[in-house]
Amino acid sequence: MRNRILGIACLTVRQATRSRFLLCLFVVLLGLLSGLAVTIKGDGTAAGRLEMLLLYATGSAGAVLSMAVLWLACRTCAAEITNRRLHLVMVKPVRVAELWLGKWVGIVTVAMTMLLVVGLFL
């Protein structure tokens, strides 16, 4: 059971890394964070500037990452249905719960990887 879930998760991660839209959102996110670091002034103190930078950066990162995850989840399911890959998976001995859990683990892995990179960038 675990191997089937991890296999589906790996396929989901692989499909997400091939997506140019996800890569573009990631570049936009890093550009947005760089722009915020340059433009935010705060209240004139270093602590105030850092506080404002972290507040705006985490808010904008959360917004962009949530859009990316929502887009990735919708695109993954829709692409499998239109390409009829979902029909090929469903004839194998995979339960529906394993399929959705594998998709969820793959999407969460991509999101956590992006969040880790954004955290290291900040």
Side-chain angles (χ1 to χ4, degrees):
M1 180 173 142
R2 184 186 302 169
N3 290 336
R4 291 184 291 224
I5 293 172
L6 289 178
I8 293 169
C10 288
L11 288 174
T12 304
V13 169
R14 225 181 285 156
Q15 184 180 4
T17 55
R18 286 188 220 132
S19 172
R20 285 178 277 157
F21 183 74
L22 195 66
L23 180 65
C24 289
L25 269 180
F26 192 63
V27 169
V28 164
L29 180 63
L30 292 181
L32 180 68
L33 294 178
S34 298
L36 284 174
V38 173
T39 59
I40 288 182
K41 301 293 184 222
D43 61 356
T45 64
R49 182 170 190 258
L50 181 63
E51 182 179 350
M52 293 299 290
L53 176 64
L54 289 177
L55 179 71
Y56 285 130
T58 54
S60 60
V64 172
L65 285 176
S66 63
M67 284 188 330
V69 167
L70 182 65
W71 176 85
L72 177 63
C74 292
R75 183 187 182 282
T76 299
C77 294
E80 290 214 356
I81 291 170
T82 56
N83 294 336
R84 298 187 188 262
R85 282 182 290 194
L86 188 62
H87 300 294
L88 293 174
V89 171
M90 292 311 296
V91 297
K92 302 202 188 284
V94 177
R95 294 185 184 114
V96 175
E98 292 172 344
L99 176 69
W100 291 115
L101 188 61
K103 293 285 181 194
W104 182 77
V105 168
I107 290 168
V108 167
T109 302
V110 171
M112 288 298 135
T113 303
M114 289 177 68
L115 187 61
L116 178 70
V117 171
V118 166
L120 291 174
F121 189 77
L122 281 176

